[in-house]
Amino acid sequence: MVPLPPAARRGARLEFALDGPPGMGVFFTPVVGPRDKGTPAARPWSTPRPDLVLVLVDTLRADMLAAYGGDAALAPRLNEFATHAQVFSRARSNAAWTLPSIATLLTGVYPGRHGATEEDLTLGLEQATVAEALARAGYRTGAITDANFVSPIHGLDQGFEWFSEHYPPDWERWEERASGTWALAQTLAEARAFLAADDGRPTFLFLHTYRVHEPYRLGAEEDPRANRALL
C-alpha cells in the first residue's frame, strides 16, 4: 500500500520501479483507491455503488423452476429468492447455444453484429462489454466459468481483470467428457473468495456453470451410466 498525495491531479502518472539485483518483477492490477475502504455495507464515502453478481446457469429450463410452473422441490433456494425478486415471464435468448447467447448478454447486441456465431469465431475486440463499462466506472470485475465457450479463447474475458475457468477432471480426454462432473462446489467457493477479497471498489462478478448441462446424471452419487446409455 503506497500513500498518494491528498491533492488530486488530473493526468497524473504512476511509475513502478524495483531496486536490487537484476531479476523479474510483475505488478498485478494496481488499484488507486481510498486507504480506508470500510465494508461493502458501510463505506466511508457518501455515494456507494451497488455490487453486481450475474449468475448464469447454462441450459437451465425456466419451466423447471416453481416461478414458471415447475416442481417447487427441485430448487427451493432459487424459488425462495424469486419470491422476493423481479421475475420476467417473457425473456428470450438471442441464440440457441452458449457462445452467441452469452456474447449477446455481455455486449447487448445481436449475434449478427458481435460475430461470435461459430465454434471457431470469437467476440471482436471492437465490441464493448458490460465488464469493460463497469471497469471504466471503477468496478472490480471478475468471472468464474466452466470454460468451453465461456472462455478468453472466445474473447469473453474482455473487461474482466480476473478470469477463472474450471474444467472437469477428464476434460482432456474427449471420449470421457460424458462422465465428467462440473464442480459447482469449487465454483461457489471461488466466488465467495472473490467477493471476500474486497478492496473498496464496487464489485461485478459473472458466475457461469454447466452444472445442469449434459452429461445428465441421476441419483445422489451422480451415476453417469444412464447418460452413457443414450450416447
Side-chain angles (χ1 to χ4, degrees), residues 23-81:
M24 298 180 65
V26 179
F27 292 95
F28 289 104
T29 58
V31 175
V32 177
R35 176 184 293 181
D36 298 322
K37 64 184 182 182
T39 65
R43 298 296 190 196
W45 48 91
S46 60
T47 56
R49 286 168 289 176
D51 292 331
L52 305 172
V53 180
L54 172 60
V55 180
L56 195 152
V57 184
D58 204 303
T59 71
L60 174 63
R61 283 174 46 169
D63 62 0
M64 292 293 99
L65 300 177
Y68 301 98
D71 185 349
L74 289 179
R77 293 186 180 180
L78 278 178
N79 296 331
E80 173 63 21
F81 178 77

Short mmCIF file of all heavy atoms in Angstrom, two decimals, residues 23-81:
data_model
loop_
_atom_site.label_atom_id
_atom_site.label_comp_id
_atom_site.label_asym_id
_atom_site.label_seq_id
_atom_site.Cartn_x
_atom_site.Cartn_y
_atom_site.Cartn_z
N GLY A 23 16.56 -9.07 -12.07
CA GLY A 23 15.60 -10.14 -11.81
C GLY A 23 14.34 -9.88 -12.59
O GLY A 23 14.30 -9.08 -13.53
N MET A 24 13.28 -10.55 -12.20
CA MET A 24 11.99 -10.38 -12.87
C MET A 24 10.96 -9.92 -11.84
O MET A 24 10.90 -10.43 -10.73
CB MET A 24 11.54 -11.71 -13.49
CG MET A 24 12.47 -12.24 -14.58
SD MET A 24 11.88 -13.80 -15.27
CE MET A 24 10.37 -13.25 -16.05
N GLY A 25 10.18 -8.95 -12.23
CA GLY A 25 9.14 -8.45 -11.34
C GLY A 25 7.84 -8.23 -12.10
O GLY A 25 7.86 -7.91 -13.29
N VAL A 26 6.73 -8.42 -11.42
CA VAL A 26 5.42 -8.26 -12.05
C VAL A 26 4.52 -7.49 -11.09
O VAL A 26 4.49 -7.77 -9.89
CB VAL A 26 4.78 -9.63 -12.38
CG1 VAL A 26 3.41 -9.41 -13.00
CG2 VAL A 26 5.66 -10.44 -13.31
N PHE A 27 3.80 -6.50 -11.63
CA PHE A 27 2.78 -5.79 -10.86
C PHE A 27 1.42 -6.22 -11.38
O PHE A 27 1.11 -6.03 -12.56
CB PHE A 27 2.95 -4.28 -11.02
CG PHE A 27 4.20 -3.73 -10.41
CD1 PHE A 27 5.33 -3.55 -11.17
CD2 PHE A 27 4.24 -3.41 -9.06
CE1 PHE A 27 6.50 -3.04 -10.61
CE2 PHE A 27 5.39 -2.91 -8.48
CZ PHE A 27 6.53 -2.72 -9.26
N PHE A 28 0.61 -6.82 -10.53
CA PHE A 28 -0.70 -7.30 -10.94
C PHE A 28 -1.78 -6.28 -10.54
O PHE A 28 -1.95 -5.98 -9.37
CB PHE A 28 -1.02 -8.64 -10.30
CG PHE A 28 -0.21 -9.79 -10.84
CD1 PHE A 28 0.83 -10.33 -10.12
CD2 PHE A 28 -0.49 -10.32 -12.10
CE1 PHE A 28 1.57 -11.38 -10.63
CE2 PHE A 28 0.25 -11.36 -12.61
CZ PHE A 28 1.29 -11.89 -11.87
N THR A 29 -2.49 -5.78 -11.53
CA THR A 29 -3.66 -4.91 -11.37
C THR A 29 -3.54 -3.92 -10.21
O THR A 29 -4.28 -4.00 -9.23
CB THR A 29 -4.94 -5.74 -11.20
OG1 THR A 29 -4.79 -6.60 -10.06
CG2 THR A 29 -5.22 -6.56 -12.43
N PRO A 30 -2.57 -3.00 -10.29
CA PRO A 30 -2.53 -1.96 -9.25
C PRO A 30 -3.81 -1.13 -9.28
O PRO A 30 -4.36 -0.87 -10.34
CB PRO A 30 -1.31 -1.13 -9.64
CG PRO A 30 -1.13 -1.38 -11.09
CD PRO A 30 -1.57 -2.79 -11.33
N VAL A 31 -4.27 -0.74 -8.11
CA VAL A 31 -5.54 -0.03 -7.97
C VAL A 31 -5.33 1.24 -7.17
O VAL A 31 -4.63 1.23 -6.15
CB VAL A 31 -6.60 -0.92 -7.27
CG1 VAL A 31 -7.87 -0.13 -7.02
CG2 VAL A 31 -6.88 -2.15 -8.10
N VAL A 32 -5.91 2.33 -7.64
CA VAL A 32 -5.90 3.59 -6.90
C VAL A 32 -7.25 3.73 -6.21
O VAL A 32 -8.30 3.69 -6.85
CB VAL A 32 -5.65 4.79 -7.83
CG1 VAL A 32 -5.71 6.09 -7.03
CG2 VAL A 32 -4.30 4.65 -8.51
N GLY A 33 -7.23 3.87 -4.90
CA GLY A 33 -8.48 3.97 -4.16
C GLY A 33 -8.26 4.52 -2.78
O GLY A 33 -7.12 4.79 -2.38
N PRO A 34 -9.32 4.69 -2.02
CA PRO A 34 -9.19 5.23 -0.66
C PRO A 34 -8.50 4.25 0.26
O PRO A 34 -8.67 3.03 0.14
CB PRO A 34 -10.65 5.46 -0.23
CG PRO A 34 -11.43 4.50 -1.07
CD PRO A 34 -10.71 4.42 -2.38
N ARG A 35 -7.67 4.79 1.16
CA ARG A 35 -6.97 3.91 2.10
C ARG A 35 -7.96 3.22 3.03
O ARG A 35 -7.83 2.02 3.30
CB ARG A 35 -5.96 4.72 2.91
CG ARG A 35 -5.27 3.88 3.99
CD ARG A 35 -4.35 4.73 4.85
NE ARG A 35 -3.22 5.21 4.09
CZ ARG A 35 -2.25 5.96 4.62
NH1 ARG A 35 -2.30 6.32 5.89
NH2 ARG A 35 -1.25 6.36 3.87
N ASP A 36 -8.95 3.97 3.53
CA ASP A 36 -9.96 3.40 4.42
C ASP A 36 -11.14 2.98 3.57
O ASP A 36 -11.90 3.80 3.08
CB ASP A 36 -10.39 4.42 5.47
CG ASP A 36 -9.23 4.84 6.36
OD1 ASP A 36 -8.40 3.96 6.68
OD2 ASP A 36 -9.15 6.02 6.70
N LYS A 37 -11.30 1.69 3.38
CA LYS A 37 -12.34 1.19 2.47
C LYS A 37 -13.63 0.79 3.18
O LYS A 37 -14.65 0.61 2.52
CB LYS A 37 -11.81 0.00 1.68
CG LYS A 37 -11.48 -1.22 2.54
CD LYS A 37 -10.88 -2.32 1.71
CE LYS A 37 -10.60 -3.55 2.56
NZ LYS A 37 -9.96 -4.62 1.79
N GLY A 38 -13.59 0.60 4.49
CA GLY A 38 -14.79 0.18 5.19
C GLY A 38 -15.20 -1.23 4.78
O GLY A 38 -14.38 -2.08 4.47
N THR A 39 -16.50 -1.48 4.74
CA THR A 39 -17.04 -2.77 4.31
C THR A 39 -18.06 -2.50 3.22
O THR A 39 -18.53 -1.38 3.06
CB THR A 39 -17.71 -3.51 5.48
OG1 THR A 39 -18.87 -2.75 5.90
CG2 THR A 39 -16.77 -3.69 6.65
N PRO A 40 -18.44 -3.54 2.44
CA PRO A 40 -19.44 -3.31 1.39
C PRO A 40 -20.73 -2.66 1.90
O PRO A 40 -21.36 -1.90 1.17
CB PRO A 40 -19.69 -4.72 0.84
CG PRO A 40 -18.42 -5.44 1.07
CD PRO A 40 -17.90 -4.91 2.39
N ALA A 41 -21.10 -2.96 3.13
CA ALA A 41 -22.33 -2.39 3.67
C ALA A 41 -22.13 -1.05 4.36
O ALA A 41 -23.09 -0.37 4.69
CB ALA A 41 -22.96 -3.38 4.66
N ALA A 42 -20.87 -0.66 4.57
CA ALA A 42 -20.60 0.59 5.29
C ALA A 42 -19.31 1.20 4.77
O ALA A 42 -18.24 1.05 5.36
CB ALA A 42 -20.50 0.33 6.80
N ARG A 43 -19.40 1.88 3.62
CA ARG A 43 -18.24 2.55 3.04
C ARG A 43 -18.03 3.91 3.71
O ARG A 43 -19.00 4.55 4.15
CB ARG A 43 -18.44 2.75 1.53
CG ARG A 43 -18.59 1.49 0.74
CD ARG A 43 -17.34 0.64 0.78
NE ARG A 43 -17.42 -0.46 -0.18
CZ ARG A 43 -16.62 -1.52 -0.13
NH1 ARG A 43 -15.69 -1.61 0.82
NH2 ARG A 43 -16.73 -2.48 -1.02
N PRO A 44 -16.78 4.38 3.76
CA PRO A 44 -16.53 5.68 4.39
C PRO A 44 -16.82 6.88 3.50
O PRO A 44 -16.60 8.00 3.91
CB PRO A 44 -15.03 5.59 4.72
CG PRO A 44 -14.47 4.67 3.70
CD PRO A 44 -15.55 3.65 3.45
N TRP A 45 -17.28 6.64 2.27
CA TRP A 45 -17.65 7.77 1.41
C TRP A 45 -19.16 7.79 1.22
O TRP A 45 -19.86 6.83 1.50
CB TRP A 45 -16.91 7.71 0.08
CG TRP A 45 -16.94 6.38 -0.60
CD1 TRP A 45 -17.85 5.94 -1.51
CD2 TRP A 45 -16.01 5.31 -0.44
NE1 TRP A 45 -17.56 4.66 -1.92
CE2 TRP A 45 -16.42 4.25 -1.29
CE3 TRP A 45 -14.87 5.13 0.32
CZ2 TRP A 45 -15.74 3.04 -1.38
CZ3 TRP A 45 -14.17 3.93 0.23
CH2 TRP A 45 -14.61 2.91 -0.62
N SER A 46 -19.66 8.88 0.69
CA SER A 46 -21.10 9.15 0.75
C SER A 46 -21.92 8.52 -0.36
O SER A 46 -23.13 8.40 -0.22
CB SER A 46 -21.33 10.67 0.74
OG SER A 46 -20.79 11.23 -0.45
N THR A 47 -21.31 8.15 -1.49
CA THR A 47 -22.11 7.66 -2.62
C THR A 47 -21.66 6.26 -3.03
O THR A 47 -21.05 6.08 -4.10
CB THR A 47 -22.00 8.60 -3.82
OG1 THR A 47 -20.61 8.77 -4.17
CG2 THR A 47 -22.60 9.95 -3.50
N PRO A 48 -21.93 5.25 -2.20
CA PRO A 48 -21.53 3.89 -2.58
C PRO A 48 -22.33 3.39 -3.78
O PRO A 48 -23.48 3.79 -3.98
CB PRO A 48 -21.86 3.07 -1.32
CG PRO A 48 -22.95 3.84 -0.65
CD PRO A 48 -22.66 5.28 -0.93
N ARG A 49 -21.70 2.54 -4.58
CA ARG A 49 -22.37 1.94 -5.72
C ARG A 49 -22.62 0.47 -5.43
O ARG A 49 -21.84 -0.18 -4.74
CB ARG A 49 -21.50 2.10 -6.98
CG ARG A 49 -21.49 3.52 -7.52
CD ARG A 49 -20.41 3.72 -8.55
NE ARG A 49 -19.10 3.71 -7.92
CZ ARG A 49 -17.95 3.78 -8.60
NH1 ARG A 49 -17.97 3.86 -9.92
NH2 ARG A 49 -16.81 3.79 -7.97
N PRO A 50 -23.71 -0.10 -5.94
CA PRO A 50 -24.06 -1.48 -5.58
C PRO A 50 -23.11 -2.49 -6.20
O PRO A 50 -22.59 -2.30 -7.30
CB PRO A 50 -25.47 -1.63 -6.16
CG PRO A 50 -25.49 -0.68 -7.32
CD PRO A 50 -24.67 0.50 -6.88
N ASP A 51 -22.88 -3.57 -5.49
CA ASP A 51 -22.20 -4.72 -6.06
C ASP A 51 -23.17 -5.44 -7.00
O ASP A 51 -24.38 -5.47 -6.75
CB ASP A 51 -21.74 -5.69 -4.97
CG ASP A 51 -20.63 -5.11 -4.11
OD1 ASP A 51 -19.86 -4.28 -4.63
OD2 ASP A 51 -20.53 -5.48 -2.94
N LEU A 52 -22.64 -6.03 -8.07
CA LEU A 52 -23.45 -6.72 -9.06
C LEU A 52 -22.93 -8.14 -9.25
O LEU A 52 -21.75 -8.34 -9.49
CB LEU A 52 -23.39 -5.98 -10.41
CG LEU A 52 -23.78 -4.50 -10.39
CD1 LEU A 52 -23.49 -3.85 -11.73
CD2 LEU A 52 -25.25 -4.34 -10.02
N VAL A 53 -23.82 -9.12 -9.13
CA VAL A 53 -23.46 -10.52 -9.34
C VAL A 53 -24.41 -11.09 -10.38
O VAL A 53 -25.63 -11.11 -10.19
CB VAL A 53 -23.55 -11.34 -8.03
CG1 VAL A 53 -23.18 -12.79 -8.31
CG2 VAL A 53 -22.62 -10.75 -6.97
N LEU A 54 -23.85 -11.54 -11.49
CA LEU A 54 -24.62 -12.15 -12.57
C LEU A 54 -24.36 -13.65 -12.57
O LEU A 54 -23.24 -14.09 -12.82
CB LEU A 54 -24.21 -11.54 -13.92
CG LEU A 54 -24.79 -12.19 -15.18
CD1 LEU A 54 -26.31 -12.13 -15.19
CD2 LEU A 54 -24.21 -11.54 -16.43
N VAL A 55 -25.38 -14.43 -12.25
CA VAL A 55 -25.26 -15.89 -12.20
C VAL A 55 -25.96 -16.47 -13.42
O VAL A 55 -27.15 -16.22 -13.64
CB VAL A 55 -25.88 -16.47 -10.91
CG1 VAL A 55 -25.74 -17.99 -10.90
CG2 VAL A 55 -25.20 -15.86 -9.69
N LEU A 56 -25.24 -17.25 -14.22
CA LEU A 56 -25.81 -17.85 -15.42
C LEU A 56 -25.71 -19.37 -15.31
O LEU A 56 -24.62 -19.93 -15.29
CB LEU A 56 -25.06 -17.36 -16.66
CG LEU A 56 -25.76 -17.62 -17.99
CD1 LEU A 56 -25.36 -16.58 -19.03
CD2 LEU A 56 -25.48 -19.02 -18.53
N VAL A 57 -26.87 -20.01 -15.22
CA VAL A 57 -26.93 -21.48 -15.15
C VAL A 57 -27.21 -21.98 -16.57
O VAL A 57 -28.35 -21.94 -17.04
CB VAL A 57 -28.02 -21.95 -14.17
CG1 VAL A 57 -27.99 -23.47 -14.05
CG2 VAL A 57 -27.81 -21.30 -12.80
N ASP A 58 -26.17 -22.41 -17.24
CA ASP A 58 -26.24 -22.75 -18.66
C ASP A 58 -27.20 -23.92 -18.90
O ASP A 58 -27.07 -24.98 -18.30
CB ASP A 58 -24.84 -23.12 -19.15
CG ASP A 58 -24.66 -22.93 -20.63
OD1 ASP A 58 -25.43 -23.53 -21.39
OD2 ASP A 58 -23.75 -22.18 -21.04
N THR A 59 -28.17 -23.73 -19.76
CA THR A 59 -29.18 -24.70 -20.21
C THR A 59 -30.25 -25.01 -19.16
O THR A 59 -31.00 -25.97 -19.34
CB THR A 59 -28.57 -26.03 -20.71
OG1 THR A 59 -28.05 -26.77 -19.61
CG2 THR A 59 -27.50 -25.79 -21.76
N LEU A 60 -30.36 -24.24 -18.11
CA LEU A 60 -31.44 -24.45 -17.15
C LEU A 60 -32.77 -24.01 -17.77
O LEU A 60 -32.92 -22.87 -18.19
CB LEU A 60 -31.18 -23.64 -15.87
CG LEU A 60 -32.32 -23.66 -14.83
CD1 LEU A 60 -32.56 -25.06 -14.32
CD2 LEU A 60 -32.01 -22.70 -13.70
N ARG A 61 -33.73 -24.93 -17.85
CA ARG A 61 -35.04 -24.61 -18.40
C ARG A 61 -35.87 -23.85 -17.39
O ARG A 61 -35.96 -24.21 -16.22
CB ARG A 61 -35.77 -25.90 -18.79
CG ARG A 61 -35.29 -26.52 -20.07
CD ARG A 61 -35.95 -27.85 -20.32
NE ARG A 61 -37.40 -27.84 -20.11
CZ ARG A 61 -38.20 -28.83 -20.48
NH1 ARG A 61 -37.70 -29.88 -21.09
NH2 ARG A 61 -39.50 -28.74 -20.25
N ALA A 62 -36.47 -22.75 -17.86
CA ALA A 62 -37.27 -21.93 -16.96
C ALA A 62 -38.40 -22.72 -16.32
O ALA A 62 -38.69 -22.55 -15.13
CB ALA A 62 -37.82 -20.72 -17.72
N ASP A 63 -39.04 -23.62 -17.08
CA ASP A 63 -40.21 -24.31 -16.54
C ASP A 63 -39.84 -25.39 -15.52
O ASP A 63 -40.70 -26.10 -15.03
CB ASP A 63 -41.07 -24.90 -17.66
CG ASP A 63 -40.33 -25.94 -18.49
OD1 ASP A 63 -39.14 -26.22 -18.22
OD2 ASP A 63 -40.95 -26.49 -19.42
N MET A 64 -38.55 -25.50 -15.19
CA MET A 64 -38.15 -26.38 -14.09
C MET A 64 -38.25 -25.66 -12.75
O MET A 64 -38.22 -26.31 -11.70
CB MET A 64 -36.71 -26.86 -14.30
CG MET A 64 -36.52 -27.80 -15.48
SD MET A 64 -37.35 -29.42 -15.25
CE MET A 64 -38.86 -29.18 -16.19
N LEU A 65 -38.36 -24.36 -12.76
CA LEU A 65 -38.44 -23.59 -11.52
C LEU A 65 -39.89 -23.31 -11.16
O LEU A 65 -40.74 -23.12 -12.03
CB LEU A 65 -37.69 -22.27 -11.68
CG LEU A 65 -36.20 -22.38 -12.00
CD1 LEU A 65 -35.60 -21.00 -12.20
CD2 LEU A 65 -35.45 -23.14 -10.91
N ALA A 66 -40.16 -23.26 -9.87
CA ALA A 66 -41.53 -23.05 -9.41
C ALA A 66 -42.10 -21.72 -9.89
O ALA A 66 -43.30 -21.61 -10.14
CB ALA A 66 -41.57 -23.11 -7.88
N ALA A 67 -41.25 -20.70 -10.06
CA ALA A 67 -41.73 -19.40 -10.52
C ALA A 67 -42.34 -19.47 -11.91
O ALA A 67 -43.12 -18.60 -12.30
CB ALA A 67 -40.58 -18.39 -10.52
N TYR A 68 -41.99 -20.53 -12.66
CA TYR A 68 -42.51 -20.69 -14.02
C TYR A 68 -43.33 -21.97 -14.15
O TYR A 68 -43.46 -22.53 -15.23
CB TYR A 68 -41.36 -20.69 -15.02
CG TYR A 68 -40.55 -19.42 -14.98
CD1 TYR A 68 -39.36 -19.37 -14.27
CD2 TYR A 68 -40.98 -18.27 -15.62
CE1 TYR A 68 -38.62 -18.20 -14.22
CE2 TYR A 68 -40.25 -17.10 -15.57
CZ TYR A 68 -39.06 -17.07 -14.86
OH TYR A 68 -38.32 -15.91 -14.81
N GLY A 69 -43.85 -22.47 -13.02
CA GLY A 69 -44.73 -23.62 -13.05
C GLY A 69 -44.07 -24.95 -12.79
O GLY A 69 -44.72 -25.99 -12.91
N GLY A 70 -42.80 -24.96 -12.43
CA GLY A 70 -42.08 -26.21 -12.19
C GLY A 70 -42.28 -26.75 -10.79
O GLY A 70 -43.02 -26.20 -9.97
N ASP A 71 -41.58 -27.85 -10.51
CA ASP A 71 -41.67 -28.53 -9.23
C ASP A 71 -40.97 -27.70 -8.16
O ASP A 71 -39.77 -27.42 -8.27
CB ASP A 71 -41.02 -29.91 -9.35
CG ASP A 71 -41.17 -30.75 -8.08
OD1 ASP A 71 -41.60 -30.21 -7.05
OD2 ASP A 71 -40.83 -31.94 -8.14
N ALA A 72 -41.68 -27.32 -7.12
CA ALA A 72 -41.11 -26.49 -6.07
C ALA A 72 -39.99 -27.17 -5.31
O ALA A 72 -39.18 -26.50 -4.66
CB ALA A 72 -42.21 -26.06 -5.10
N ALA A 73 -39.91 -28.50 -5.38
CA ALA A 73 -38.89 -29.22 -4.63
C ALA A 73 -37.54 -29.25 -5.35
O ALA A 73 -36.53 -29.61 -4.74
CB ALA A 73 -39.35 -30.66 -4.39
N LEU A 74 -37.50 -28.87 -6.61
CA LEU A 74 -36.25 -29.01 -7.37
C LEU A 74 -35.20 -27.97 -6.98
O LEU A 74 -34.01 -28.28 -6.92
CB LEU A 74 -36.54 -28.90 -8.88
CG LEU A 74 -37.26 -30.08 -9.50
CD1 LEU A 74 -37.49 -29.82 -10.99
CD2 LEU A 74 -36.46 -31.37 -9.32
N ALA A 75 -35.58 -26.75 -6.75
CA ALA A 75 -34.63 -25.68 -6.46
C ALA A 75 -35.22 -24.75 -5.40
O ALA A 75 -35.56 -23.60 -5.70
CB ALA A 75 -34.27 -24.91 -7.73
N PRO A 76 -35.34 -25.22 -4.17
CA PRO A 76 -36.06 -24.44 -3.16
C PRO A 76 -35.43 -23.07 -2.89
O PRO A 76 -36.15 -22.10 -2.63
CB PRO A 76 -36.01 -25.33 -1.92
CG PRO A 76 -34.90 -26.31 -2.18
CD PRO A 76 -34.88 -26.51 -3.65
N ARG A 77 -34.12 -22.96 -2.94
CA ARG A 77 -33.49 -21.67 -2.63
C ARG A 77 -33.70 -20.67 -3.77
O ARG A 77 -33.93 -19.49 -3.52
CB ARG A 77 -32.00 -21.86 -2.35
CG ARG A 77 -31.75 -22.65 -1.06
CD ARG A 77 -30.30 -22.72 -0.72
NE ARG A 77 -30.08 -23.47 0.51
CZ ARG A 77 -28.88 -23.68 1.05
NH1 ARG A 77 -27.80 -23.21 0.46
NH2 ARG A 77 -28.76 -24.38 2.16
N LEU A 78 -33.62 -21.14 -4.99
CA LEU A 78 -33.92 -20.26 -6.12
C LEU A 78 -35.38 -19.83 -6.09
O LEU A 78 -35.70 -18.67 -6.37
CB LEU A 78 -33.61 -20.95 -7.45
CG LEU A 78 -32.16 -20.95 -7.91
CD1 LEU A 78 -32.03 -21.72 -9.21
CD2 LEU A 78 -31.63 -19.53 -8.08
N ASN A 79 -36.24 -20.76 -5.73
CA ASN A 79 -37.66 -20.43 -5.65
C ASN A 79 -37.93 -19.38 -4.57
O ASN A 79 -38.72 -18.46 -4.77
CB ASN A 79 -38.48 -21.70 -5.38
CG ASN A 79 -38.38 -22.70 -6.51
OD1 ASN A 79 -38.19 -22.33 -7.67
ND2 ASN A 79 -38.51 -23.98 -6.18
N GLU A 80 -37.26 -19.53 -3.45
CA GLU A 80 -37.41 -18.56 -2.38
C GLU A 80 -36.88 -17.20 -2.81
O GLU A 80 -37.50 -16.16 -2.54
CB GLU A 80 -36.67 -19.05 -1.13
CG GLU A 80 -36.61 -18.05 0.02
CD GLU A 80 -37.98 -17.69 0.58
OE1 GLU A 80 -38.93 -18.47 0.38
OE2 GLU A 80 -38.10 -16.63 1.22
N PHE A 81 -35.74 -17.19 -3.49
CA PHE A 81 -35.19 -15.94 -3.99
C PHE A 81 -36.15 -15.26 -4.96
O PHE A 81 -36.33 -14.04 -4.92
CB PHE A 81 -33.85 -16.22 -4.69
CG PHE A 81 -33.20 -15.01 -5.29
CD1 PHE A 81 -32.55 -14.08 -4.50
CD2 PHE A 81 -33.25 -14.78 -6.65
CE1 PHE A 81 -31.95 -12.95 -5.05
CE2 PHE A 81 -32.67 -13.67 -7.22
CZ PHE A 81 -32.01 -12.75 -6.41
#
